Amino acid sequence: MILDLTRLNSVSESQFGELPVLEINNASCSGTISLFGGHILSFKPKHDQRERLWLSDTAITDKSKPIRGGIPICWPWFANIFPSVQTPNEQLPAHGFVRTQDWLLVDATENDSSTRLVLQPKKLGLYAFSASLRVCLEVTFGAELTVKLITTYDKNEDVQAKVASAQAPLAITMALHSYLAVSDINKCELVGVEADYIDKLANDSITTTPSPYIFDQEVDRIHMSTQSAPLHTVSVNDAKTTTLKQQGHDALVVWNPWIDKSSGMADMQHDGYKSMLCVEAAVVNPITLNYGEKHELIQTIS
Ligand code: BG6
């Protein structure tokens, strides 16, 4: 952390297991963000006091693994779609390298009803990925939670790197891997997702989205946003409704490990799958940034 937090009324330092976190408490909501991974762990609006994010009771907090739950930041690649990296694939971590990095708080502002925090990873340029590509996370904790993942390709002070970058467009993929809290996955419906999806559990076969979209088995699906089936607003209807809005994405990834996989995961309780659903705003088709360009992936949760 490099900012003096004493000037802010709504932010305080705390711990999640062994990890340093910031607790946010303002007139509209409470929330938590971990400096390991720039990882949001909790968002609870005050108007209904309902936690929107799921966090594993057995999450590992010794920095050996990403935190299970909350909103992991997948950057500069999603899953194993790493277009700009030369390193052999088997040496690359799934979902990029920033979810297992320490991040710094670089800016923070507050007003009567919201708190805005800006974080950046301490280290970039890992796995031979260009360090000229920067990322920052801008999170606004208010009546809604707004998460912006901003990628910029600029500001490298090294003249040689600058010249090299100017000649080399870079392609990236990414995701805001949101774990939503649900009261019972068996009674949950996802609304606003139509057309076909890529089924990661069936060799990427193209499959028709069920209607109603309910859950009774493991799901690992990439729903591509198209003109006829745009994915800009979706909601998870459970006992209550959670609404998500996205921008700057091309896909929504829907994931639940169900019984067998969650039983096999050290950082998820056996029945953990019952109370979560991942709905991830993702860039799956690589986007190419030229020197000086910027991309924003935005997800709002309410
Ligand atoms: C989803 C992927 O986004 O994340 C799944 O589509 C993956 O295939 C899941 O299993 C969890 O990934 P991880 O690396 O956090 O265990």
Side-chain angles (χ1 to χ4, degrees):
M1 183 135 38
I2 54 173
L3 280 185
D4 173 19
L5 288 180
T6 54
R7 65 185 174 80
L8 296 168
N9 294 319
S10 61
V11 185
S12 59
E13 292 178 75
S14 184
Q15 296 272 130
F16 172 60
E18 295 153 71
L19 301 174
V21 301
L22 301 175
E23 299 281 2
I24 293 87
N25 189 5
N26 59 33
S28 308
C29 71
S30 60
T32 311
I33 184 165
S34 162
L35 294 172
F36 175 68
H39 196 132
I40 300 163
L41 304 178
S42 163
F43 170 61
K44 206 193 261 191
K46 289 213 165 139
H47 69 87
D48 60 7
Q49 292 292 353
R50 181 166 61 90
E51 178 59 68
R52 299 301 196 264
L53 300 179
W54 179 89
L55 180 60
S56 174
D57 291 337
T58 52
I60 293 167
T61 61
D62 63 2
K63 300 193 178 180
S64 62
K65 276 186 72 110
I67 303 165
R68 178 72 60 199
I71 309 184
I73 306 298
C74 306
W75 187 96
W77 61 82
F78 165 74
N80 58 358
I81 312 171
F82 15 70
S84 291
V85 185
Q86 300 308 317
T87 316
N89 294 353
E90 62 275 11
Q91 293 173 22
L92 294 166
H95 292 328
F97 54 79
V98 297
R99 64 181 183 154
T100 47
Q101 295 296 310
D102 290 324
W103 288 52
L104 295 168
L105 179 67
V106 295
D107 195 17
T109 49
E110 64 184 4
N111 60 30
D112 287 348
S113 55
S114 70
T115 308
R116 176 185 151 275
L117 305 177
V118 182
L119 293 93
Q120 285 175 354
K122 271 190 190 167
K123 279 193 212 151
L124 288 170
L126 301 181
Y127 300 95
F129 203 84
S130 171
S132 303
L133 205 61
R134 313 281 170 125
V135 69
C136 87
L137 185 73
E138 188 182 307
V139 188
T140 306
F141 289 90
E144 303 182 322
L145 176 71
T146 303
V147 187
K148 282 191 194 177
L149 187 66
I150 305 166
T151 306
T152 46
Y153 189 3
D154 60 8
K155 288 187 190 154
N156 198 315
E157 303 309 323
D158 177 326
V159 175
Q160 273 189 337
K162 220 174 191 171
V163 172
S165 350
Q167 295 164 347
L170 284 174
I172 52 172
T173 58
M174 65 188 89
L176 295 167
H177 193 310
S178 317
Y179 286 75
L180 303 176
V182 301
S183 52
D184 182 352
I185 189 68
N186 292 292
K187 295 186 181 149
C188 195
E189 181 180 353
L190 182 60
V191 177
V193 180
E194 296 170 355
D196 294 339
Y197 63 87
I198 298 165
D199 193 347
K200 292 182 73 177
L201 301 174
N203 294 320
D204 289 348
S205 61
I206 306 298
T207 309
T208 304
T209 299
S211 176
Y213 198 154
I214 53 176
F215 299 90
D216 56 9
Q217 60 182 318
E218 181 184 357
V219 290
D220 194 354
R221 300 173 175 174
I222 300 178
H223 297 266
M224 300 304 302
S225 191
T226 63
Q227 252 184 345
S228 56
L231 295 166
H232 299 313
T233 304
V234 300
S235 58
V236 176
N237 291 350
D238 180 27
K240 308 276 180 188
T241 298
T242 299
T243 302
L244 299 109
K245 293 182 187 159
Q246 293 86 14
Q247 281 176 49
H249 62 307
D250 63 10
L252 280 192
V253 179
V254 177
W255 181 65
N256 183 299
W258 219 249
I259 302 166
D260 291 347
K261 277 208 181 135
S262 62
S263 300
M265 288 160 71
D267 56 357
M268 195 186 259
Q269 283 186 327
H270 292 187
D271 61 355
Y273 77 96
K274 282 187 182 167
S275 52
M276 53 78 58
L277 179 66
C278 282
V279 181
E280 311 164 31
V283 173
V284 169
N285 287 314
I287 49 161
T288 301
L289 289 183
N290 291 304
Y291 187 69
E293 287 183 339
K294 175 176 167 179
H295 176 266
E296 293 189 356
L297 175 64
I298 307 176
Q299 187 164 53
T300 303
I301 300 179
S302 59

